[in-house]
Amino acid sequence: MRIYLYILAGMTSALLGWNIGQFFLTDLGLFTQFPEITLFPCIAVSLAFGMVMNEIFVSNPTRPKRSFQTAQKPLLIALGLGILSGLIAGIISQILFLPIISVPTPIVRTLGWLLIGSSVGIAEGLSWRWYSMEAGSKKRFQQRLKTSFIAASGASLAAAIIFEIIRVMLGTMPAQFKGVEDPIGFSILGLLLGGVFSLTNSPSYLAALRAGRGFEYREIKPDIKPNIQLNIQPDTKNHDQDSELPTLNQSYPYINKSVLSFVTPHDSLNEDEIEEGLSISLPGNQTITIGSSIDSTISIPGLPPHLADIQLENRTALLIPDKQFFYAIEINSVRTKSRKMIPLKHNYVLTFYTIEGDEINEEKYYRFVYYNRFLDPQA
């Protein structure tokens, strides 16, 4: 389904850009003597817009309002790069078309399409920084930009070659078919761009847990004092007494920052505190523990010392409930009935109930949403 959406977006954007260019040329009479200067910017902007918007909406299909807000900066980048590259391609094409230079038309067209395609790749790669959580990694961002540029350039070059072959074939057909050469050519360009982007922009299988209900902000009243126990021995002549250091009971949910990290920064006074709406990036090929123990990878007050493990291996994640407290876990509102391992899938809702003695506290629970790819921009 994903590849069809990208191909449809590419072809539609290309044809829309061509029609907008025809409006400027025929209705407004803009640069009629130099049609490429008008046509190429329209197609470049339309393709860049289409690819960027398609990626944003495919990545976040359930929140159109949020997607439109997220798309503002990426579309400005697409607009600027599209106009600039389109003008450059159009001007170069017009210069090479001059009788004095006399460069063959296929070469000129191929060069123009190559500039358009590469600009779409740059626009898609650069704008990705503003709507993807993955782009926080400098290495990942550079890799994405490079991949988008190379893939788009290759697709535009291939489209130009295919178009020239079709153009030769149309030359032996009735003259009325030659009137659709340009729409056919730009449709091929959009089709190939959409096809390569559907492959290079495939969703990343980066596991994450997004904190939900139960992690709401709670104001700590000033009269509540931390549980501090001091054992002070009277002074002795040899000063060799053993004084116990203060021990604190941590009263908020937190992560082990040596193993886990938050996808986005937050404003809490405690850097390791889990808050509602924050996403926790999970490591690959590792097992994390969930419970109330200080040694837990994710420690939550009120849970059993050890409630469950999440075993991560490549593109799979298995939830392994504790054999003693498995009944305090729900997966998609269904209570677990044994310690049997549960494969986690994208958008699974994990609910962990607190325990009072051996009984479940139905009123107090903590909820996560499991992601195996970052589809929700700035979740």
Side-chain angles (χ1 to χ4, degrees):
M1 185 63 182
R2 178 183 176 87
I3 188 172
Y4 297 119
L5 291 175
Y6 271 89
I7 289 175
L8 181 61
M11 295 179 65
T12 303
S13 301
L15 290 174
L16 180 62
W18 182 82
N19 280 281
I20 293 174
Q22 294 303 312
F23 169 76
F24 285 126
L25 286 171
T26 58
D27 294 357
L28 301 183
L30 185 64
F31 297 121
T32 53
Q33 295 181 345
F34 311 103
E36 280 75 12
I37 295 179
T38 300
L39 190 60
F40 282 6
C42 293
I43 294 174
V45 170
S46 183
L47 279 171
F49 267 45
M51 293 295 97
V52 170
M53 287 298 296
N54 184 71
E55 173 69 11
I56 291 175
F57 276 91
V58 167
S59 298
N60 192 25
T62 60
R63 297 183 180 181
K65 184 177 179 180
R66 178 64 181 273
S67 294
F68 277 115
Q69 294 174 349
T70 304
Q72 293 177 4
K73 285 185 178 179
L75 290 182
L76 287 176
I77 294 173
L79 176 64
L81 286 174
I83 292 175
L84 180 62
S85 63
L87 286 174
I88 293 174
I91 292 172
I92 291 176
S93 298
Q94 290 299 320
I95 293 174
L96 296 179
F97 277 139
L98 293 176
I100 301 175
I101 302 177
S102 187
V103 177
T105 300
I107 296 178
V108 177
R109 184 180 289 109
T110 300
L111 179 60
W113 285 20
L114 185 60
L115 290 172
I116 291 174
S118 60
S119 69
V120 173
I122 294 174
E124 199 282 331
L126 283 177
S127 61
W128 182 69
R129 187 186 188 100
W130 278 271
Y131 63 83
S132 174
M133 295 182 290
E134 287 184 77
S137 169
K138 184 178 179 180
K139 182 179 179 181
R140 182 72 179 93
F141 170 69
Q142 292 175 346
Q143 180 186 6
R144 173 66 174 257
L145 179 59
K146 181 180 179 180
T147 302
S148 296
F149 173 75
I150 294 174
S153 300
S156 58
L157 184 61
I161 294 173
I162 294 173
F163 175 68
E164 292 303 327
I165 295 175
I166 295 177
R167 190 168 179 269
V168 171
M169 295 173 59
L170 287 175
T172 62
M173 295 181 181
Q176 58 266 30
F177 284 92
K178 294 185 179 181
V180 295
E181 282 183 351
D182 283 347
I184 290 176
F186 291 120
S187 296
I188 295 172
L189 177 62
L191 184 151
L192 292 186
L193 284 174
V196 298
F197 281 138
S198 70
L199 299 176
T200 60
N201 300 353
S202 60
S204 299
Y205 288 81
L206 301 178
L209 289 176
R210 182 183 178 187
R213 188 168 179 178
F215 296 99
E216 302 90 348
Y217 173 75
R218 292 179 175 82
E219 183 178 1
I220 300 177
K221 297 181 180 180
D223 58 341
I224 297 179
K225 299 180 180 179
N227 183 8
I228 302 177
Q229 297 178 349
L230 297 177
N231 185 2
I232 303 176
Q233 300 290 341
D235 192 14
T236 62
K237 186 175 182 179
N238 297 327
H239 299 279
D240 57 354
Q241 80 283 355
D242 295 328
S243 298
E244 293 185 6
L245 296 175
T247 58
L248 299 176
N249 289 336
Q250 201 158 6
S251 59
Y252 62 84
Y254 65 93
I255 62 172
N256 183 344
K257 297 211 70 176
S258 65
V259 180
L260 303 178
S261 62
F262 293 111
V263 175
T264 52
H266 61 298
D267 299 328
S268 174
L269 295 177
N270 305 299
E271 294 182 354
D272 58 353
E273 184 175 1
I274 305 173
E275 294 181 349
E276 184 181 17
L278 290 180
S279 291
I280 305 168
S281 178
L282 303 180
N285 299 319
Q286 194 168 339
T287 299
I288 66 171
T289 59
I290 301 172
S292 60
S293 168
I294 193 173
D295 297 324
S296 299
T297 317
I298 297 178
S299 181
I300 302 175
L303 298 185
H306 177 257
L307 179 60
D309 295 330
I310 296 181
Q311 182 178 325
L312 299 142
E313 293 182 359
N314 296 325
R315 294 188 174 188
T316 62
L318 297 174
L319 180 72
I320 307 174
D322 184 86
K323 61 182 179 181
Q324 185 177 356
F325 298 103
F326 60 84
Y327 55 86
I329 302 173
E330 281 186 356
I331 308 294
N332 293 335
S333 301
V334 177
R335 193 69 56 89
T336 55
K337 298 179 180 180
S338 68
R339 194 177 182 269
K340 183 179 179 181
M341 294 187 298
I342 303 169
L344 298 180
K345 297 183 180 180
H346 182 68
N347 269 344
Y348 267 30
V349 179
L350 315 181
T351 305
F352 303 131
Y353 286 89
T354 59
I355 298 292
E356 293 180 352
D358 290 330
E359 299 294 328
I360 294 177
N361 183 0
E362 298 287 350
E363 297 180 356
K364 182 59 179 175
Y365 57 87
Y366 295 88
R367 183 166 289 163
F368 289 100
V369 179
Y370 170 77
Y371 293 97
N372 63 10
R373 53 189 179 270
F374 285 146
L375 287 186
D376 190 3
Q378 306 301 323

